[in-house]
């Protein structure tokens, strides 16, 4: 599946593109099986777990128990070649997965954020493959602020204050506080240039993780959204030290922190624990 010059330009300028019919039925089914196993066997970095029989929200990240399974799975998927062409990178490595479950039509939107607020990443060659297994309209899809991956690196969101989605992760002044994008859009619909797409299973959104993005809520018409995110990096991927004011994320982040401790500011993001797929 070749990446056209227009798609490459859109990713470079906008920070996200939709690739339609990216996965065939077999590939999509393999991804869904891995996703369901992951949800049933949460790892140590889960942000929120399913509440018994009242299924609403589940978020999990880089589960070490399933890393080998995903390492093998990504070798059968088209993302190595896609990102190689998208970035113009000679090599592509797989980082890890993240899973999102929204069910029952009661789960609200995922707050706006940049993944690079709590992941020690810099450089052009980063990409998330956002795979959802439900047919969803644009209003319930992933939303991205166009071009924000080239703009300001904001402080992260603590996700601890339901009343204020901009409550800072660090709050030490080293990074500017997140803007209240939802509030600003409610007051002025064109305040931010937001892009999103309706999704048919098999379509994949490719996203630069430094982009400001958030997931729209589910509702009565679209009650469920099951999403698997696979993360990749290429030659121009560098280690970036995180602020040290939050001890949970200080310098290295929480994912693969021992390996990250071996890297210095600006060094190529490399480690034998990450599978090279191209």
């Amino acid at each position: 599946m070749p990446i056209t010059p227009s798609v490459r330009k859109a990713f470079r300028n906008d920070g996200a593109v939709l690739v339609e019919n990216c996965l065939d039925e077999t590939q999509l089914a393999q991804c869904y099986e891995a996703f369901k196993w992951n949800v049933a066997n949460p790892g140590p970095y889960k942000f929120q777990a399913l509440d018994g029989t009242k299924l609403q929200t589940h978020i999990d990240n880089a589960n070490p128990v399933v890393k080998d399974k995903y390492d093998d799975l990504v070798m059968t998927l088209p993302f190595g070649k896609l990102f190689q062409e998208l970035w113009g990178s000679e090599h592509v490595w797989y980082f890890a997965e993240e899973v999102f479950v929204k069910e029952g039509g009661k789960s609200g939107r995922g707050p706006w954020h940049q993944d690079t607020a709590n992941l020690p990443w810099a450089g052009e060659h980063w990409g998330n493959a956002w795979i959802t297994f439900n047919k969803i309209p644009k209003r319930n899809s992933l939303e991205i602020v166009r071009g924000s991956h080239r703009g300001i690196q904001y402080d992260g969101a603590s996700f601890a204050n339901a009343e204020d989605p901009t409550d800072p992760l660090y709050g030490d002044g080293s990074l500017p506080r997140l803007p209240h994008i939802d509030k600003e859009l409610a007051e002025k619909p064109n305040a931010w240039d937001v892009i999103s797409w309706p999704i048919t299973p098999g379509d994949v959104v490719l996203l630069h993780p430094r982009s400001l993005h958030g997931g729209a809520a589910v509702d009565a018409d679209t009650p469920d959204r099951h999403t698997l995110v696979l993360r990749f990096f290429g030659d121009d991927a560098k280690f970036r030290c995180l602020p040290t004011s939050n001890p949970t994320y200080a310098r290295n982040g929480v994912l693969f922190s021992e390996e990250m401790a071996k890297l210095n500011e600006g060094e190529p993001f490399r480690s034998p624990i990450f599978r090279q797929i191209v």
Side-chain angles (χ1 to χ4, degrees):
M1 184 182 302
I3 294 293
T4 64
S6 62
V7 170
R8 191 178 299 113
K9 181 179 179 181
F11 185 85
R12 183 173 63 249
N13 294 338
D14 299 345
V17 293
L18 175 69
V19 180
E20 297 179 303
N21 301 312
C22 182
L23 300 176
D24 62 30
E25 289 186 7
T26 298
Q27 293 166 337
L28 194 65
Q30 290 171 335
C31 288
Y32 202 21
E33 284 303 311
F35 167 91
K36 289 185 288 187
W37 196 96
N38 205 338
V39 173
N41 299 271
Y45 306 117
K46 64 180 181 298
F47 177 73
Q48 191 170 355
L50 296 172
D51 182 19
T53 59
K54 300 177 181 178
L55 303 182
Q56 291 189 30
T57 304
H58 171 88
I59 302 171
D60 200 0
N61 211 322
N63 186 346
V65 176
V66 298
K67 179 162 176 51
D68 288 344
K69 297 178 186 295
Y70 280 111
D71 281 353
D72 292 339
L73 174 62
V74 295
M75 299 299 294
T76 70
L77 303 176
F79 297 118
K81 184 65 173 176
L82 283 179
F83 279 113
Q84 185 182 45
E85 294 184 5
L86 194 67
W87 297 324
S89 179
E90 182 179 358
H91 307 100
V92 177
W93 290 265
Y94 170 64
F95 179 78
E97 90 295 342
E98 189 169 14
V99 299
F100 298 91
V101 177
K102 292 188 175 185
E103 293 188 341
K106 298 178 181 180
S107 185
R109 69 163 296 112
W112 291 95
H113 66 286
Q114 296 161 296
D115 292 349
T116 47
N118 56 14
L119 291 168
W121 297 352
E124 296 285 338
H125 295 170
W126 289 97
N128 294 352
W130 195 86
I131 307 161
T132 192
F133 303 102
N134 310 86
K135 184 178 177 64
I136 54 175
K138 183 176 179 179
R139 70 176 183 276
N140 302 110
S141 192
L142 180 69
E143 297 176 319
I144 304 108
V145 174
R146 191 193 307 270
S148 55
H149 65 304
R150 294 185 173 276
I152 297 169
Q153 175 63 63
Y154 292 100
D155 200 327
S158 70
F159 302 121
N161 186 341
E163 301 301 319
D164 184 2
T166 74
D167 186 57
L169 186 67
Y170 304 106
D172 60 1
S174 62
L175 298 170
R177 188 169 179 145
L178 275 166
H180 199 317
I181 295 176
D182 287 332
K183 181 179 179 181
E184 293 180 21
L185 287 171
E187 295 171 351
K188 186 179 179 182
N190 294 324
W192 295 85
D193 186 4
V194 176
I195 55 176
S196 64
W197 299 272
I199 303 292
T200 297
D203 299 346
V204 177
V205 177
L206 304 182
L207 166 76
H208 193 294
R210 196 173 187 268
S211 300
L212 280 164
H213 62 282
V218 292
D219 53 31
D221 294 328
T222 306
D224 302 332
R225 193 178 75 210
H226 294 175
T227 304
L228 170 65
V229 177
L230 301 175
R231 291 166 158 166
F232 301 86
F233 62 94
D235 296 334
D236 185 37
K238 302 177 179 66
F239 178 81
R240 176 181 61 89
C241 295
L242 297 174
T244 57
S245 53
N246 184 329
T248 300
Y249 297 95
R251 188 188 186 275
N252 305 321
V254 298
L255 306 181
F256 310 108
S257 58
E258 291 185 7
E259 293 297 325
M260 298 302 95
K262 301 173 184 177
L263 298 177
N264 296 312
E265 179 76 24
E267 287 185 348
F269 197 93
R270 304 286 187 274
S271 171
I273 66 173
F274 301 126
R275 175 73 66 89
Q276 181 179 333
I277 59 175
V278 176

